[in-house]
Amino acid sequence: DPVEDRLRAVAEYFPCNFDFVLASNEELGGGGVGETKPAVLYVGSWDTCGITERILRSSTRQSCSGDDQTIISLSDFLNYWIYLYEAIHFHLYKLSIELGEMAYLDEVCDLTNLTLRQFSPNFVRNVMKPWLRITQSFYPETTRRIYVLNPPAIVSVAWNLVTPLLSKGTLEKVRFVRDFERSADDFCARGKCV
C-alpha cells in the first residue's frame, strides 16, 4: 500500500517508542492509577534534515535521477503524527473509562546526540511549525509531562528556536532532567517519571 509505505518512511526518520499504546492495561504494569508508561522520543536521533529534504523535494516535484525513495509530502508527515496521536487518544480514552479517571501520557525526549543542524530554518519553518500547530491545536491535553533528558550545551539555542512555537500550557509541562546520564529507556525503567 503506497500510503502505508509513505507513513513507514516517515517513521524511519523519527525514532520513537509508542509501543505501550497498543498494550492492554494489564501489560502496562508499573503505572499508577490513571497513568501509562511514557512514550520515548529519541529526538537526538531524528533525521530532520533528511525528512525536510524529502518533503521539500516532493513539494517541488523534483527527484534525483536514480532516486528510488518513496515521495513524502508534508501531508504524509502530518498524517503520520495524526494517526499516532489518534491511536494514543483511543488508548487513553479506553484506559480512562476503565480506571474511572483521566489517563494521561508522559513523554520522555532523549536529546543524546542532538545538534543545531537538526533545527535548520527549513525544518523549523516548513515542517516543525505546521506539526506543532496541529499538535497543540488538536491534542493539547494528551500529555501530562514532557521530560527532556541529556540536554547538550546547545539546547539553550534550540530551545530559543522552539519556545515561540509552543503554547504556555505546553511550556509548563516541560521538565529538564540534567542529572540523569543514562538512556531514556533506563529513565523509564527506573520509574523516574514522577
Side-chain angles (χ1 to χ4, degrees):
D1 178 13
V3 172
E4 285 183 25
D5 291 344
R6 292 194 309 270
L7 296 178
R8 268 194 224 97
V10 171
E12 291 174 14
Y13 287 89
F14 285 80
C16 299
N17 183 355
F18 285 98
D19 292 345
F20 73 90
V21 173
L22 304 176
S24 70
N25 192 29
E26 296 80 37
E27 292 173 318
L28 289 173
V33 174
E35 295 181 12
T36 62
K37 287 187 176 179
V40 179
L41 292 83
Y42 302 98
V43 179
S45 299
W46 287 0
D47 183 2
T48 60
C49 295
I51 193 77
T52 303
E53 180 182 311
R54 298 239 336 239
I55 289 170
L56 292 177
R57 202 173 341 137
S58 85
S59 69
T60 59
R61 304 211 185 277
Q62 296 175 353
S63 68
C64 301
S65 61
D67 185 1
D68 60 352
Q69 291 183 322
T70 304
I71 297 289
I72 300 173
S73 68
L74 180 59
S75 290
D76 294 327
F77 177 82
L78 297 175
N79 283 337
Y80 169 79
W81 291 99
I82 290 168
Y83 295 151
L84 192 57
Y85 291 132
E86 288 294 325
I88 290 168
H89 265 255
F90 181 67
H91 173 76
L92 293 175
Y93 173 75
K94 287 187 339 185
L95 186 58
S96 295
I97 289 174
E98 186 176 320
L99 297 171
E101 65 180 63
M102 288 298 295
Y104 296 96
L105 172 70
D106 286 340
E107 291 181 16
V108 176
C109 300
D110 188 346
L111 303 189
T112 302
N113 300 320
L114 183 79
T115 67
L116 277 180
R117 185 172 183 264
Q118 290 170 281
F119 293 91
S120 71
N122 273 335
F123 173 71
V124 171
R125 180 179 48 251
N126 297 307
V127 180
M128 179 182 257
K129 196 171 183 178
W131 177 25
L132 290 175
R133 191 176 313 119
I134 285 176
T135 304
Q136 293 180 95
S137 295
F138 299 105
Y139 307 99
E141 296 305 320
T142 302
T143 303
R144 180 181 53 184
R145 283 185 292 260
I146 302 168
Y147 295 93
V148 180
L149 300 183
N150 305 318
I154 58 98
V155 82
S156 61
V157 176
W159 186 242
N160 289 335
L161 291 170
V162 173
T163 52
L165 304 175
L166 300 176
S167 69
K168 181 182 177 198
T170 299
L171 289 170
E172 290 171 353
K173 296 175 184 182
V174 177
R175 310 276 190 280
F176 285 90
V177 181
R178 300 183 193 285
D179 59 347
F180 193 85
E181 297 180 7
R182 292 182 160 170
S183 74
D185 296 326
D186 289 336
F187 183 80
C188 296
R190 293 173 180 256
K192 296 285 187 182
C193 297
V194 291

